[in-house]
Amino acid sequence: MGIFGEIVVLICAAAAVVFLCRLARIPSGVGFLITGVLAGPHALAIVHDPHDIELLAEIGVILLLFTIGLEFSVKKLASIKRLALGGGSLQMGLTIMAFGLLVLLLDPGRSLMGDLFIGMLAALSSTAVVLKLLKDRGEVDLPHGNASLGILIFQDIAVVPLMLLVPVMAGTSADSAGHALLVLLGKAALLVGLVLVLTQRVVPFFLSRVARMRDRELFLLAVAAICLGVAYLTWELGMSLALGAFLAGLIIAESDYSHQAVAVVMPFHDLFMSFFFISMGMLLDLTFVSGHMPQILLAALLLAAVKAVVASGAAVSVGLTLPAGLLTGLALFQVGEFSFILAREGLSAGLLGMEDYQTFLAAAIVTMIATPFVIANGARLTKRLSRTQLPALVVGRSLAEPPEQESELANHLVIVGFGIGGRHLAQAAKLWCLPYVVVEGNPDTVRAERAKGEPIFFGDATSEHILEHAAVSRARAVAVTINDPAACRRIVHQVRDAAPKALLIARTPYLGDVPELRRLGANEVVAAEYEASAEVLARVLSSFLVPDEEIAGFIRELREQGYEMLREMPVARSGLCEFGLPNVRVTRLRVAEGAPAVGRSLADLALRKEHRVSVLALRRETEVLHPPPANMPFAVDDVVLLAGEPGGIATARGIFEGQAPSATR
């Protein structure tokens, strides 16, 4: 009951502190850290033993990594392997060496192994803090989000060998540590094989059987069993619980039930994550902080500056633009939760003194508290950086200069971003012989596509200088197809200033960005969220026998007026949707000149008998016949209303329009 009472007080205190923080527009994570500082044994002492809360915090980290894994897949993870292996190894290696050298210069009397150990502590960043903030901001799928995730995954995996190196560095157990490292590699190979088997065979079959029961509690238990079971297995194999939870999320992500798993896990995830931040705040000794404030602030500043620079350089070296690399560095500048575990091991082994340990803890927590503010303001710094020519200097002038044959472009198309949308536009421009040029922010993509002959060059289109290279002022149309909403807004603003008369079309993931992009000058805005909803709406209406023309008109008005019309517009309905007949479609066709139906009657065509299609009505000029007489011949420009199965409708389309049969919706 003592632990229960502490938890109740913590939850109440956290609710009050976070409420005040939200009023002051301070991120909730900072509020939880403040709650931990106040409630910890070094302040109000509401909680005397933080270890009990740390157990709940560990569950929070497990659920965080599990939900991140659910939103990924093995294929997507493979797509960021270069960021994880290349960027992660560079970031960790350079950070360890940089801090080892820095501590050696500041305190020459320390041992070399102790200096390197401090570098190891500094090299790790907070997976829990960074991923939560990126998820809340919707930036996990952006370039700097992918880079941060890849580097963080590498760090989490690297924690295990770093733990094994502690006794070697302390000079207590070199042989046993080397043997343990070899055993660990074998266990890792076994784990990878097991994950592949679970992903391909076991879990999809198991979850399909559970889902058929239609029991929410059973599904929750099944998901929890997979998450905690795989996490426990990785722990038994000598790796972290967090890594196991991430792998469990990947396993379920390959099945058809990942979204439902997120839905049942998320409430628990949010609660336990609050305990993680609270437990981190409890580690801060306010008495020590008050007596060593200058050293702590200096240590926090050095940690932030060196880590940000090194992580930015590592991200740029594996293909990110300089602005995206800088955002990666600003996301990873803090010290991670696994550093606290490693620091305790180092303290026990004699690699770290008590004063150094407390200084490091205090500085690390300061960097954690600062992280939400730094990430929130990072976009301002990168915006200013994009206005300079520095990003082009980083990747080299050859990539940053447009192809020579494109230097005198006029009345052309400018494509910003060469993802799926940009590639489709480029293919269409080639097909219709339209002049175009592409601006892309990934230097690897620029190299590969330029080798294929694409008129593409490297640059951040938020920069006025880059837009001048693309001759935007002489362009007929500009299409912004990137996936970064903030950058899209800046690009639209810059393009409209440079080319007031150009057709400007922008793509955004979210419907809420549409009014702002139009205000900034976009002629047309395509919202991925909007278009997906419109397509779902069209298919649902079609299944209820609403005619295609009515659906098309409704969707057209949606695009013109926005979703507000759903609450205001009186919708004209055909009345056919009330029947709910399965696998039946309704469509209107106009009889074309030269079509097989011209001059022939319903009796001649035998549509119902041979193709299972019924003619519900016929309109000839102003007269409407429903149904038309069986012996009345069809004439050019007659409009017929048909009902039938999709295959029959496709055949009827060829009979009335004179076209080859094609699949209909």
Side-chain angles (χ1 to χ4, degrees):
M1 291 305 296
I3 297 175
F4 179 75
E6 292 176 350
I7 291 175
V8 171
V9 173
L10 279 180
I11 291 176
C12 294
V17 173
V18 172
F19 177 77
L20 295 175
C21 286
R22 298 307 292 171
L23 288 178
R25 296 186 177 182
I26 297 174
S28 58
V30 175
F32 289 128
L33 285 169
I34 294 173
T35 303
V37 172
L38 296 176
H42 305 294
L44 301 178
I46 296 174
V47 176
H48 300 282
D49 185 6
H51 178 68
D52 297 326
I53 306 303
E54 288 173 7
L55 295 177
L56 299 176
E58 185 70 27
I59 297 175
V61 175
I62 289 173
L63 293 178
L64 172 69
L65 270 295
F66 179 61
T67 54
I68 293 296
L70 284 172
E71 295 174 359
F72 269 74
S73 65
V74 174
K75 184 182 297 184
K76 186 169 184 180
L77 187 61
S79 69
I80 64 169
K81 62 179 181 297
R82 181 168 54 89
L83 297 172
L85 296 176
S89 58
L90 272 175
Q91 183 269 334
M92 288 203 66
L94 293 176
T95 304
I96 291 172
M97 289 190 292
F99 274 100
L101 180 61
L102 185 62
V103 175
L104 179 64
L105 294 175
L106 293 176
D107 189 2
R110 298 176 55 89
S111 68
L112 177 61
M113 289 300 171
D115 296 341
L116 291 176
F117 181 74
I118 292 178
M120 289 163 52
L121 297 178
L124 300 173
S125 301
S126 176
T127 303
V129 172
V130 175
L131 291 186
K132 178 172 174 54
L133 289 171
L134 292 179
K135 280 185 65 179
D136 291 345
R137 294 172 58 85
E139 297 178 356
V140 173
D141 290 326
L142 298 183
H144 67 277
N146 278 328
S148 299
L149 176 64
I151 293 173
L152 288 168
I153 290 173
F154 183 89
Q155 291 178 0
D156 289 345
I157 296 173
V159 167
V160 180
L162 291 181
M163 294 282 287
L164 294 174
L165 284 174
V166 170
V168 178
M169 297 175 70
T172 57
S173 181
D175 294 336
S176 61
H179 178 264
L181 186 59
L182 291 175
V183 172
L184 178 64
L185 292 175
K187 291 180 178 179
L190 175 64
L191 181 63
V192 170
L194 181 62
V195 167
L196 291 176
V197 171
L198 291 174
T199 301
Q200 300 297 327
R201 303 288 182 185
V202 180
V203 170
F205 176 80
F206 173 63
L207 287 181
S208 67
R209 292 293 184 273
V210 171
R212 288 178 186 175
M213 299 294 182
R214 298 182 179 274
D215 188 315
R216 181 180 177 86
E217 289 81 7
L218 178 60
F219 188 85
L220 172 60
L221 288 173
V223 170
I226 295 171
C227 171
L228 300 178
V230 176
Y232 181 74
L233 177 62
T234 57
W235 177 264
E236 287 293 321
L237 291 176
M239 287 164 272
S240 70
L241 290 168
L243 176 61
F246 179 79
L247 293 176
L250 282 180
I251 292 169
I252 297 180
E254 295 298 313
S255 71
D256 297 328
Y257 309 100
S258 58
H259 297 297
Q260 180 63 21
V262 172
V264 299
V265 168
M266 193 57 69
F268 301 98
H269 157 270
D270 293 338
L271 177 62
F272 284 107
M273 273 307 300
S274 65
F275 285 112
F276 164 76
F277 288 105
I278 291 172
S279 69
M280 292 298 102
M282 286 181 181
L283 296 173
L284 195 62
D285 186 342
L286 294 180
T287 303
F288 180 85
V289 169
S290 62
H292 299 78
M293 185 62 72
Q295 299 96 307
I296 292 171
L297 292 179
L298 177 61
L301 183 61
L302 288 174
L303 281 169
V306 175
K307 288 196 68 177
V309 170
V310 171
S312 299
V316 170
S317 68
V318 292
L320 267 69
T321 63
L322 187 59
L326 181 58
L327 287 174
T328 304
L330 294 176
L332 300 177
F333 78 92
Q334 78 294 120
V335 175
E337 54 274 1
F338 290 121
S339 294
F340 300 133
I341 301 173
L342 195 62
R344 285 199 294 265
E345 294 292 323
L347 183 66
S348 302
L351 290 171
L352 205 63
M354 180 55 71
E355 183 173 337
D356 292 336
Y357 174 74
Q358 287 292 340
T359 302
F360 173 78
L361 285 183
I365 292 175
V366 169
T367 62
M368 279 187 168
I369 292 175
T371 299
F373 305 101
V374 173
I375 290 180
N377 290 282
R380 298 179 184 177
L381 181 59
T382 56
K383 181 179 179 181
R384 295 177 182 175
L385 181 65
S386 298
R387 294 173 180 169
T388 71
Q389 298 187 27
L390 186 59
L393 295 176
V394 171
V395 299
R397 284 290 181 187
S398 61
L399 293 183
E401 291 294 336
E404 294 180 3
Q405 64 269 27
E406 307 298 333
S407 58
E408 298 300 326
L409 278 174
N411 290 320
H412 60 293
L413 167 65
V414 177
I415 301 172
V416 179
F418 209 60
I420 294 176
R423 291 174 190 273
H424 287 169
L425 277 173
Q427 290 173 355
K430 289 177 185 175
L431 186 62
W432 277 279
C433 301
L434 306 177
Y436 72 97
V437 65
V438 180
V439 183
E440 168 59 37
N442 187 328
D444 292 337
T445 301
V446 173
R447 291 188 185 95
E449 298 301 328
R450 182 170 286 190
K452 299 176 184 177
E454 285 287 349
I456 186 172
F457 69 98
F458 171 84
D460 185 342
T462 61
S463 168
E464 184 179 347
H465 175 73
I466 297 299
L467 295 179
E468 290 176 2
H469 271 316
V472 164
S473 61
R474 302 192 301 271
R476 175 176 293 185
V478 179
V480 184
T481 66
I482 61 174
N483 199 39
D484 185 342
C488 182
R489 291 192 291 270
R490 296 198 298 271
I491 293 169
V492 167
H493 177 69
Q494 295 278 15
V495 169
R496 186 48 73 213
D497 283 347
K501 297 182 179 180
L503 173 65
L504 177 53
I505 302 174
R507 175 199 178 277
T508 177
Y510 308 114
L511 180 63
D513 290 332
V514 173
E516 177 66 10
L517 289 171
R518 285 180 175 165
R519 186 188 69 78
L520 292 172
N523 301 100
E524 299 287 345
V525 180
V526 178
E529 182 182 36
Y530 192 109
E531 293 303 319
S533 298
E535 183 63 22
V536 170
L537 176 62
R539 297 193 182 198
V540 169
L541 292 178
S542 178
S543 72
F544 280 92
L545 307 185
V546 177
D548 291 348
E549 284 189 5
E550 293 185 16
I551 296 174
F554 184 67
I555 298 299
R556 184 168 56 253
E557 291 188 60
L558 276 179
R559 290 192 175 103
E560 291 174 355
Q561 300 182 29
Y563 276 109
E564 287 298 318
M565 67 178 294
L566 286 174
R567 294 191 289 269
E568 302 170 0
M569 188 188 72
V571 182
R573 297 176 296 174
S574 65
L576 297 171
C577 58
E578 298 174 1
F579 290 95
L581 298 177
N583 201 30
V584 175
R585 298 291 181 266
V586 175
T587 189
R588 295 176 183 177
L589 302 177
R590 186 179 297 276
V591 179
E593 186 174 356
V598 176
R600 302 175 66 186
S601 67
L602 271 178
D604 296 333
L605 296 175
L607 292 175
R608 186 170 184 180
K609 180 179 179 180
E610 296 185 10
H611 307 297
R612 303 187 68 180
V613 173
S614 298
V615 178
L616 304 179
L618 180 145
R619 187 181 69 202
R620 179 173 291 174
E621 296 180 351
T622 59
E623 184 181 11
V624 177
L625 302 173
H626 51 87
N631 59 354
M632 179 180 177
F634 292 100
V636 176
D637 287 337
D638 283 351
V639 177
V640 292
L641 180 64
L642 306 177
E645 296 181 355
I649 292 291
T651 303
R653 188 179 296 276
I655 294 172
F656 287 102
E657 296 183 342
Q659 302 172 353
S662 59
T664 60
R665 181 163 55 208

